[in-house]
């Protein structure tokens, strides 16, 4: 464990130090999120492009350890790092364009698609998963498309989750740290993957004070998808720990799935159109403060992330079922309280 303390601290400090420099640059460029919609709760324009901080800090530290050879002792190949860098660069560039020029949804999705393809063609794929009832399920030819869909899903989960200050960064931090711990388990034993995960955790924690309520910088389009991109990639290269990541990100994933379903089949509109019907907004509507709502969702992520470390594959499948049931109960309770407050 001591081998990971220095990379963690260095990552945290670099990220924390880069943030004010990016804030200064963004303010000069006037790339700001103006509160011109009802769903935006901040009172004044806030700098965007926070993803640049996370991208630069992450790959500066990752580049150093790649150069020293620390990342290539066990499982990680140089192609993986190149794929992550190329994909991340695509997302940050696309995010810059969107934050500056407000691209339409049909253009925004181009960059996540290209980033996911960069990962798939670098050799990072979900080749198999453990069968909850015993044995292993091998995907064969379908490994690449399944990985592609997984990464797109993770990127859009963190993108849609990015509605409250510090929410996406905090939950992604929890996810990265849980993957770090998973990589240290005896039956996984991937110290090079653990190194990437703890670097990512440090970078996110260094950025969080600048992004927590009241935020001084937002992730922006590129940052909101970049953190999901890296987390989704870590879940794959850590031995297809998809179930573990699903448990940590379960509430946001289910929320996104429900919102997309409702927009398409119920309201007959584009799923890309934003609204205030996500769970995190509903928590505000029933009277929770900004920090209380974020802290509650942190708690769910920590709870299920911690549980995942203690469970085997079959037990994780049961836990996922319990998580779905919990999401239904929470959503039902929130809607009831909201309607009661609405008609009082």
């Amino acid at each position: 464990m001591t081998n990971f303390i220095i990379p963690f601290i260095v990552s945290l400090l670099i990220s924390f130090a880069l943030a004010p420099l990016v804030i200064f640059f963004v303010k000069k460029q006037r790339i700001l999120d103006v509160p011109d919609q009802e769903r935006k709760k901040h009172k004044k324009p806030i700098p965007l492009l926070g993803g640049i901080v996370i991208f630069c800090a992450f790959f500066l530290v990752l580049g150093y350890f790649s150069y020293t050879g620390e990342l290539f002792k066990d499982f990680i190949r140089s192609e993986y790092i190149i794929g992550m860098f190329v994909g991340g660069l695509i997302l940050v560039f696309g995010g810059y364009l969107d934050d500056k020029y407000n691209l339409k949804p049909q253009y925004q999705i181009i960059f996540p698609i290209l980033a996911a393809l960069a990962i798939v063609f670098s050799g990072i794929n979900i080749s198999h998963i453990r069968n909850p009832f015993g044995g292993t399920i091998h995907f064969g030819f379908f490994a690449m498309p399944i990985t592609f869909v997984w990464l797109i899903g993770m990127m859009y989960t963190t993108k849609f989750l990015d509605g409250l200050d510090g929410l996406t960064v905090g939950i992604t931090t929890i996810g990265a740290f849980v993957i770090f711990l998973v990589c240290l388990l005896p039956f996984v034993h991937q110290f090079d993957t653990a190194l990437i995960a703890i670097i990512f955790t440090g970078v996110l924690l260094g950025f969080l004070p600048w992004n927590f309520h009241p935020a001084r910088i937002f992730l922006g389009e590129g940052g909101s998808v970049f953190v999901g991109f890296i987390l989704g990639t870590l879940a794959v290269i850590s031995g297809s720990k998809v179930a573990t990541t699903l448990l940590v990100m379960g509430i946001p994933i289910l929320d996104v799935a429900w919102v997309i379903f409702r927009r398409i089949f119920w309201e007959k509109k584009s799923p890309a159109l934003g609204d205030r019907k996500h769970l995190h907004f509903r928590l505000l509507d029933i009277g929770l403060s900004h920090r209380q709502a974020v802290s509650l969702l942190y708690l769910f992520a920590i709870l299920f992330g911690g549980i995942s470390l203690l469970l085997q594959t079959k037990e994780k499948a049961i836990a996922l079922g319990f998580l779905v049931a919990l999401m239904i109960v929470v959503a039902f309770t929130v809607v009831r309280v909201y309607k009661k407050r609405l008609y009082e």
Side-chain angles (χ1 to χ4, degrees):
M1 185 69 74
T2 55
N3 294 334
F4 301 105
I5 293 177
I6 292 178
F8 171 75
I9 293 175
V10 170
S11 302
L12 189 153
L13 292 177
I14 290 177
S15 178
F16 185 81
L18 276 177
L21 300 178
V22 173
I23 291 172
F24 177 79
F25 167 77
V26 172
K27 284 183 176 179
K28 287 289 185 181
Q29 296 293 314
R30 302 294 300 171
I31 306 176
L32 308 171
D33 189 326
V34 180
D36 54 1
Q37 299 176 21
E38 192 271 337
R39 64 191 294 266
K40 297 182 179 183
K41 289 301 182 182
H42 49 289
K43 305 299 182 184
K44 60 181 181 179
I46 303 294
L48 293 164
L49 298 180
I52 291 178
V53 177
I54 298 173
F55 173 84
C56 291
F58 180 64
F59 282 107
L60 276 173
V61 181
L62 203 60
Y64 170 78
F65 285 101
S66 297
Y67 177 76
T68 60
E70 292 294 319
L71 280 177
F72 308 121
K73 291 183 176 180
D74 185 20
F75 184 78
I76 298 299
R77 292 157 41 188
S78 59
E79 294 86 356
Y80 296 173
I81 305 301
I82 293 171
M84 293 169 67
F85 177 78
V86 171
L89 189 62
I90 290 170
L91 292 174
V92 170
F93 175 70
Y96 171 81
L97 294 179
D98 183 64
D99 289 342
K100 188 172 179 63
Y101 300 109
N102 194 22
L103 302 178
K104 294 181 179 179
Q106 59 266 36
Y107 299 124
Q108 292 174 354
I109 197 173
I110 292 173
F111 303 101
I113 287 174
L114 293 176
L117 289 174
I119 289 297
V120 168
F121 287 111
S122 73
I124 300 174
N125 288 290
I126 304 174
S127 59
H128 65 277
I129 59 172
R130 290 188 178 182
N131 188 336
F133 304 101
T136 302
I137 301 173
H138 294 274
F139 293 124
F141 173 80
F142 296 101
M144 293 177 69
I146 288 173
T147 306
F148 176 83
V149 171
W150 164 253
L151 290 172
I152 293 293
M154 285 300 298
M155 283 186 272
Y156 272 84
T157 295
T158 52
K159 171 185 168 72
F160 287 0
L161 183 64
D162 192 30
L164 299 181
D165 298 354
L167 181 56
T168 295
V169 175
I171 289 185
T172 308
T173 303
I174 295 166
F177 187 66
V178 169
I179 290 176
F180 164 71
L181 294 177
V182 167
C183 291
L184 298 182
L185 294 175
F187 61 89
V188 178
H189 199 70
Q190 292 185 12
F191 287 102
D192 45 3
T193 310
L195 180 59
I196 300 176
I198 201 63
I199 289 171
F200 190 46
T201 303
V203 167
L204 292 169
L205 273 180
F207 180 75
L208 187 57
W210 301 97
N211 184 242
F212 199 70
H213 186 72
R216 282 168 281 182
I217 184 170
F218 289 158
L219 280 171
E221 172 70 15
S224 67
V225 291
F226 176 70
V227 295
F229 168 76
I230 296 297
L231 187 65
T233 302
L234 283 172
V236 178
I237 62 177
S238 60
S240 297
K241 295 298 178 283
V242 173
T244 298
T245 308
L246 283 174
L247 282 170
V248 177
M249 301 293 292
I251 295 291
I253 289 172
L254 291 171
D255 178 55
V256 167
W258 165 245
V259 167
I260 291 175
F261 177 84
R262 175 179 50 77
R263 289 175 185 173
I264 294 175
F265 298 103
W266 197 335
E267 299 176 353
K268 307 296 183 182
K269 68 179 185 180
S270 169
L273 295 176
D275 57 33
R276 280 187 48 83
K277 295 181 180 179
H278 284 284
L279 177 61
H280 47 268
F281 288 131
R282 292 298 198 189
L283 292 174
L284 297 183
D285 293 338
I286 66 172
L288 268 65
S289 70
H290 196 120
R291 294 193 177 197
Q292 287 172 338
V294 170
S295 297
L296 178 62
L297 293 172
Y298 282 0
L299 181 61
F300 282 133
I302 292 170
L303 175 63
F304 282 97
I307 288 173
S308 72
L309 296 172
L310 307 175
L311 302 179
Q312 300 300 316
T313 304
K314 185 177 181 179
E315 295 165 335
K316 286 180 182 179
I318 296 172
L320 284 170
F322 178 76
L323 182 61
V324 172
L326 177 64
M327 177 63 181
I328 293 171
V329 171
V330 170
F332 179 75
T333 303
V334 168
V335 170
R336 283 199 64 182
V337 173
Y338 172 71
K339 287 184 177 179
K340 185 178 179 181
R341 289 173 60 92
L342 191 64
Y343 293 110
E344 283 181 349

